[in-house]
Amino acid sequence: MRIILIGPPGAGKGTQAAAVKLRFPVDHISTGDILRENVRAGSPLGLKAKEFMDSGSLVPDSLIIEMMRERLAKCPAGGFMLDGFPRTVAQAEALDELMKEMSVSIDAAILLEVPDETVVERLCGRRVCSSCGEIFHVTGKPTEADGVCDVCRGPVEQRDDDREEVIRRRLSVYHKDTAPLIEYYEKSGLLRRIDAIDKPGAVKSYLESAGL
Ligand code: AMP
């Protein structure tokens, strides 16, 4: 199974991918997580990516495509769920090339649709465990103890790019650079639209009804 998750920041791509991973032997590949690990480790890629990420801009295509070429080569046969890639038409074209080289193909591009104001509300309140990645929300899913992860007791923090001005910038980048992917995958017949406002089970139901 090879699935692409598309949607604005805060649409629930990471949450959905984690849920699907519990049921299928797929690799959940989040470009945002890989980049943040590189920033934390101070790697050459992390040093180049940090400024773009902090300002809510996209990291240049050439860096992302190279990073994904290496990552996809390590992917197990069960397939993958791509969360946050591709984010531009150039990245989608590069992914098509990579799939050809690997003699495999994408099964579906799932679009999680959420209005901008819902995104702002969700992300301003989002908190993430920097140890295990568990996601919380200050009102929707608060931690039992302040700033401590319920799952692993690690520190729960607000991401630097989850501040309102950066969220609005990320949304405008999404509409300008990433939304054209909707037409791209519609043309190839791979697009599946899912209303992701308040339906955490939506992707799961879609995959079930598609027999995946
Ligand atoms: P995310 O965790 O998916 O919201 O990504 C956080 C940030 O990482 C984004 O705002 C971008 O700066 C960068 N990023 C993640 N994926 C990509 C991508 N496919 N292309 C360019 N930049 C990306």
Side-chain angles (χ1 to χ4, degrees):
M1 175 164 78
R2 290 174 189 83
I3 303 275
I4 297 170
L5 288 174
I6 307 173
K13 300 187 292 296
T15 307
Q16 296 286 3
V20 171
K21 201 176 172 238
L22 295 177
R23 299 173 52 242
F24 294 96
V26 291
D27 217 357
H28 169 200
I29 305 179
S30 155
T31 41
D33 284 351
I34 302 175
L35 289 166
R36 278 184 290 279
E37 274 162 32
N38 275 277
V39 169
R40 267 196 294 276
S43 75
L45 170 63
L47 294 175
K48 286 184 202 144
K50 186 173 182 341
E51 202 178 312
F52 296 101
M53 294 171 76
D54 285 348
S55 68
S57 309
L58 292 184
V59 175
D61 286 337
S62 55
L63 293 176
I64 296 288
I65 291 167
E66 201 37 48
M67 176 181 104
M68 287 306 281
R69 173 183 287 281
E70 283 175 23
R71 182 62 184 81
L72 286 170
K74 294 182 200 148
C75 198
F80 54 68
M81 283 216 118
L82 297 185
D83 158 9
F85 176 84
R87 247 169 157 113
T88 63
V89 170
Q91 291 180 16
E93 288 168 349
L95 177 63
D96 285 346
E97 280 305 308
L98 276 171
M99 295 292 94
K100 262 192 217 150
E101 284 170 26
M102 295 166 75
S103 306
V104 293
S105 54
I106 302 291
D107 297 303
I110 300 179
L111 171 64
L112 301 181
E113 297 185 290
V114 181
D116 285 6
E117 284 317 307
T118 307
V119 165
V120 173
E121 192 278 324
R122 276 188 193 170
L123 293 190
C124 281
R126 178 164 74 176
R127 300 292 181 270
V128 184
C129 173
S130 52
S131 187
C132 74
E134 185 73 12
I135 298 168
F136 298 89
H137 188 277
V138 285
T139 53
K141 186 189 168 191
T143 52
E144 280 165 16
D146 215 17
V148 179
C149 178
D150 295 356
V151 178
C152 76
R153 317 308 294 165
V156 172
E157 293 162 350
Q158 183 173 37
R159 271 170 48 173
D160 286 345
D161 59 353
D162 278 349
R163 285 172 291 115
E164 184 166 348
E165 72 275 17
V166 186
I167 294 166
R168 294 206 181 270
R169 161 101 186 118
R170 288 162 66 201
L171 272 169
S172 81
V173 168
Y174 172 78
H175 290 299
K176 180 171 153 289
D177 295 325
T178 307
L181 290 181
I182 298 171
E183 200 188 328
Y184 185 91
Y185 287 114
E186 212 151 35
K187 275 190 186 149
S188 58
L190 290 176
L191 193 77
R192 306 285 179 272
R193 290 174 185 268
I194 286 180
D195 174 2
I197 292 191
D198 54 6
K199 298 187 182 74
V203 171
K204 191 170 166 249
S205 314
Y206 160 71
L207 291 167
E208 277 169 356
S209 63
L212 292 168

